Amino acid sequence: MIFWANLIQTLAVEGIQQGHPKTRMQVIATAIVYFKRFYARRSYKDVDPLLIACASVFLASKVEEHGLMSMSNLIKTVPNCLKKWPNLTYDASSKNSGLYDAEFILVEMLDCCLVVYHPYRPLTTMLQDIARDPTVKDVAPFEEQCWKVANDSLRSDCSLLYPPHIIAIASIIVGAELMNREKDIKMWLPELSVDFEKVYDCVNTIFAMYKTWKTFDEKEHVKPLFDKLPKINPGPTF
């Protein structure tokens, strides 16, 4: 999932048409969650994941009211995005006819439940609470680290397993540990009325993701998996 999340983010950023606003992180996050929910229920061998990745970005841009993206432009962007992984190739020309079928299949597999709740809003509120503590200094770098962890958590299964406020708390804890600033949240944590067992399960999931990410060689491991993707023509089928 680390590779696919990275690819979806690259696709969402580079797939925008000229003159369109920069893709918001919430659009990218929603697209990644759509993708993960789809393949939590289907196999990668059933439908070309690159088509579903494009459909996820396209659908997320509409749901998050970012502005309509061009589906054909997204699929044409895939080969350019894959330049980050030189050993991967993709023939986009044969996929155009399956683009809207992929979106339909995605919506159907999601049971038309397209609203995604992210940890960003509770994270903002919690960081504001922490910032009110006069003993906490140099808040900006700490907030930036927590936001980075929240975004990185999309590369794990957290969004499928835990509610947004749990992910937000876990992001703050992980951010504090990464910056050796546990003392800054020492007084704040006990005031929370949450299931701390779930919180620390989420923390462990994020740290496990970072460990995997650190040792994961995309050039070595992705190519064999990429070669096994379904060669579907003209479009995705069940």
Side-chain angles (χ1 to χ4, degrees), residues 95-148:
K95 304 297 180 180
N96 288 327
S97 59
L99 293 174
Y100 293 99
D101 289 338
E103 184 190 13
F104 176 79
I105 293 171
L106 176 62
V107 172
E108 185 179 40
M109 192 58 61
L110 295 174
D111 296 326
C112 297
C113 298
L114 304 181
V115 177
V116 178
Y117 296 98
H118 296 293
Y120 302 132
R121 183 172 295 178
L123 180 61
T124 300
T125 303
M126 292 172 186
L127 288 174
Q128 288 173 349
D129 289 341
I130 294 172
R132 292 190 186 99
D133 186 342
T135 63
V136 179
K137 307 297 182 183
D138 203 15
V139 176
F142 178 63
E143 290 181 343
E144 184 178 342
Q145 180 65 58
C146 294
W147 278 92
K148 183 179 183 300

Side-chain angles (χ1 to χ4, degrees), residues 33-144:
V33 172
Y34 286 166
F35 185 89
K36 290 197 291 187
R37 286 181 179 176
F38 183 91
Y39 284 108
R41 303 176 69 176
R42 304 298 302 189
S43 168
Y44 284 107
K45 293 183 178 181
D46 291 340
V47 185
D48 185 348
L50 282 165
L51 272 179
I52 297 299
C54 291
S56 297
V57 174
F58 182 68
L59 185 59
S61 70
K62 293 191 287 185
V63 172
E64 297 294 346
E65 299 181 350
H66 175 70
L68 186 62
M69 291 183 173
S70 168
M71 182 73 101
S72 58
N73 189 60
L74 280 171
I75 199 70
K76 289 176 183 176
T77 306
V78 171
N80 189 47
C81 294
L82 290 178
K83 288 180 180 178
K84 288 188 174 182
W85 301 273
N87 55 341
L88 302 181
T89 57
Y90 186 71
D91 180 14
S93 60
S94 63
K95 304 297 180 180
N96 288 327
S97 59
L99 293 174
Y100 293 99
D101 289 338
E103 184 190 13
F104 176 79
I105 293 171
L106 176 62
V107 172
E108 185 179 40
M109 192 58 61
L110 295 174
D111 296 326
C112 297
C113 298
L114 304 181
V115 177
V116 178
Y117 296 98
H118 296 293
Y120 302 132
R121 183 172 295 178
L123 180 61
T124 300
T125 303
M126 292 172 186
L127 288 174
Q128 288 173 349
D129 289 341
I130 294 172
R132 292 190 186 99
D133 186 342
T135 63
V136 179
K137 307 297 182 183
D138 203 15
V139 176
F142 178 63
E143 290 181 343
E144 184 178 342

Side-chain angles (χ1 to χ4, degrees), residues 191-233:
E191 297 177 355
L192 301 176
S193 179
V194 294
D195 185 343
F196 277 99
E197 184 176 347
K198 288 185 178 179
V199 170
Y200 283 102
D201 282 346
C202 186
V203 168
N204 291 333
T205 300
I206 294 174
F207 274 124
M209 178 273 298
Y210 276 131
K211 183 178 180 180
T212 301
W213 197 354
K214 186 176 181 180
T215 58
F216 179 62
D217 186 349
E218 290 184 338
K219 293 182 180 179
E220 178 183 349
H221 295 105
V222 172
K223 182 65 165 65
L225 299 175
F226 208 82
D227 292 338
K228 295 179 181 179
L229 293 182
K231 304 298 186 293
I232 300 173
N233 193 9

